[in-house]
Amino acid sequence: MKKTLALLLAASMFASAFAAEFGGTLGESVEIYTNDFDPVAMEEKTKLTLFFRTPLGPSSYFVAEGKVAPTYDVNDISEFGDGDFLCPIDLTLFKYAYSMKTGASSSLNIAAGRFGIVDASGYILNLPADALSVSYNSQNIVAGGYVGYTGLQNGINTVLLNGDLDDVDNDYYFCSSPFLLGQASVTFPYLFLNQSLGVEGLCAIGTKGPNGDNTDYNRFYGTLSLAGVLGARKFYNLSTTFGAEVIDGDFDKVSNLTQLSFTCYIPEFYDCQLTFSGVYASGEQGPFAAFKGISSIESSFAMYAPDYSGLIKAGACATVKPMVNMLASLGADVIISCPDDSFEYAGVQVYGGLIYQIYTDLELGLSLHQYIGDDDKDNETSLTLGATLAF
């Protein structure tokens, strides 16, 4: 009997190993950027990503992904040898996932390990974290939550706003600022007239970690979102978030971030997708404090791009597929600065890109942007060429 069980276990392990997937990508990019062409700077980056995925039964799997990205950045290409070299090494994904059917169209999903998390608005939090998540999905409700920790991520790639960091001198890996993250959300898909309603609560609780001490620095957010169909091939997404900081037990005022976007699909014209969007992140205006997210998310292509705080950004972008294996994009935004009760023009940006998939495993990319600011020091012109090979 014991021999039979051993043979069955060995056969099961062999089957899982045979079903395992291995692969990766190798990418190379060169960006030339400048502030009014005096001087001209360059960043060269090579990125190697490797992944592994294997089933652990009919309802679960394990997946891992790591990357190394040696980067050379020089402020003046006429002095090429005086640049800065970084080589961040990161484990971006290390996750066990389990899914269990609880009905004909419902399931319970559990994930544990390191994986990416993002907030409902997309402007507050976007990073990998060591976390445990649970969700329940059905036709009428999607509910779930997670708890996570940021203090073991690579601080070169994971930047937490206003997070404490000890002095570090490491070009490969140092622990990021430590916060405990907590999130709970519930969404009602197609609650009425093809409209979906969502509610999310999110918090970042400061703690002491291997590389920093955020004790007594906490942030809390509540988001209400509404998304749905406006007609044939027309969709919208609206969300508003109220945030608050509690520092050493003191609470001042709430802040607000509101975003609205409209998207229209025109498949008969090269699979065109046209999107109009706007976002407001409060400054010190009336009842509001300056909005502050959790992770650093740049709001523009300016040379010294701010995060989403004290600004209004409005614009439009379009994507088309002139060929089956090619995607082109073009967009423009206007940015208004409002750190206090005044509203002032900050700048305008135009950007575009082209992705050409030559073969199934080889992709070429071209992107460019131009930011023209009210202050000349914010101007930036950038051109990036890149290639990615999958294997």
Side-chain angles (χ1 to χ4, degrees):
M1 183 64 178
K2 290 182 178 178
K3 289 183 178 180
T4 302
L5 290 175
L7 287 172
L8 289 174
L9 179 60
S12 175
M13 293 176 64
F14 177 78
S16 294
F18 186 76
E21 300 177 39
F22 304 85
T25 61
L26 177 62
E28 177 69 25
S29 67
V30 176
E31 179 186 11
I32 305 296
Y33 63 99
T34 180
N35 172 256
D36 296 334
F37 300 93
D38 184 24
V40 176
M42 185 197 78
E43 180 187 78
E44 185 273 333
K45 178 183 289 187
T46 302
K47 185 167 72 171
L48 174 64
T49 301
L50 300 174
F51 76 87
F52 168 77
R53 177 187 171 111
T54 183
L56 298 176
S59 303
S60 63
Y61 67 88
F62 170 77
V63 61
E65 180 182 275
K67 70 177 182 180
V68 57
T71 303
Y72 187 71
D73 196 344
V74 58
N75 292 326
D76 188 343
I77 57 175
S78 66
E79 301 176 0
F80 187 79
D82 294 334
D84 296 320
F85 176 79
L86 290 174
C87 187
I89 301 171
D90 213 348
L91 182 65
T92 53
L93 184 62
F94 193 84
K95 181 176 75 170
Y96 167 78
Y98 173 78
S99 179
M100 178 180 66
K101 286 285 187 180
T102 57
S105 59
S106 62
S107 64
L108 179 67
N109 307 287
I110 300 172
R114 178 172 294 183
F115 49 88
I117 53 179
V118 63
D119 74 285
S121 73
Y123 294 97
I124 301 169
L125 177 67
N126 189 351
L127 48 75
D130 299 309
L132 171 66
S133 71
V134 179
S135 66
Y136 172 77
N137 297 351
S138 72
Q139 289 183 336
N140 299 319
I141 187 171
V142 177
Y146 62 76
V147 291
Y149 179 64
T150 66
L152 298 177
Q153 315 303 314
N154 191 338
I156 299 176
N157 298 323
T158 303
V159 180
L160 283 300
L161 293 178
N162 283 39
D164 178 61
L165 275 178
D166 297 333
D167 292 334
V168 291
D169 185 16
N170 192 314
D171 297 335
Y172 303 93
Y173 199 108
F174 60 84
C175 290
S176 63
S177 191
F179 284 92
L180 290 174
L181 303 175
Q183 185 259 19
S185 64
V186 58
T187 301
F188 302 96
Y190 307 110
L191 183 63
F192 60 94
L193 301 175
N194 286 328
Q195 311 301 304
S196 299
L197 176 68
V199 179
E200 178 188 66
L202 176 65
C203 68
I205 306 299
T207 185
K208 188 173 183 179
N211 190 29
D213 186 354
N214 295 313
T215 307
D216 295 327
Y217 180 36
N218 307 316
R219 281 174 265 190
F220 302 89
Y221 307 88
T223 299
L224 180 65
S225 60
L226 190 64
V229 180
L230 293 174
R233 304 170 186 166
K234 299 180 182 68
F235 306 87
Y236 78 97
N237 193 316
L238 169 66
S239 72
T240 186
T241 300
F242 292 94
E245 288 185 307
V246 179
I247 303 174
D248 294 328
D250 294 330
F251 164 77
D252 186 13
K253 294 187 293 186
V254 300
S255 58
N256 179 254
L257 183 142
T258 297
Q259 69 86 21
L260 174 63
S261 65
F262 297 96
T263 300
C264 177
Y265 294 97
I266 313 172
E268 59 271 17
F269 183 75
Y270 300 106
D271 285 334
C272 177
Q273 175 180 314
L274 183 61
T275 300
F276 300 91
S277 63
V279 58
Y280 162 72
S282 66
E284 297 282 351
Q285 289 119 27
F288 293 135
F291 187 84
K292 191 170 297 176
I294 298 174
S295 58
S296 179
I297 301 174
E298 293 185 348
S299 62
S300 71
F301 293 113
M303 180 64 73
Y304 305 100
D307 294 290
Y308 283 91
S309 179
L311 62 84
I312 297 172
K313 183 170 78 171
C317 67
T319 63
V320 295
K321 295 184 69 175
M323 299 168 58
V324 174
N325 56 346
M326 182 180 291
L327 180 67
S329 62
L330 181 65
D333 297 302
V334 175
I335 293 93
I336 305 296
S337 176
C338 53
D340 47 37
D341 288 330
S342 61
F343 290 77
E344 299 178 354
Y345 169 77
V348 62
Q349 62 186 21
V350 179
Y351 56 93
L354 187 67
I355 298 174
Y356 180 35
Q357 190 171 16
I358 301 179
Y359 304 107
T360 304
D361 52 3
L362 180 60
E363 182 179 278
L364 300 181
L366 166 69
S367 64
L368 53 89
H369 67 252
Q370 174 69 63
Y371 184 93
I372 303 173
D374 185 58
D375 190 331
D376 290 345
K377 70 178 179 61
D378 291 327
N379 293 348
E380 180 173 294
T381 304
S382 171
L383 171 67
T384 302
L385 296 172
T388 302
L389 175 67
F391 55 87

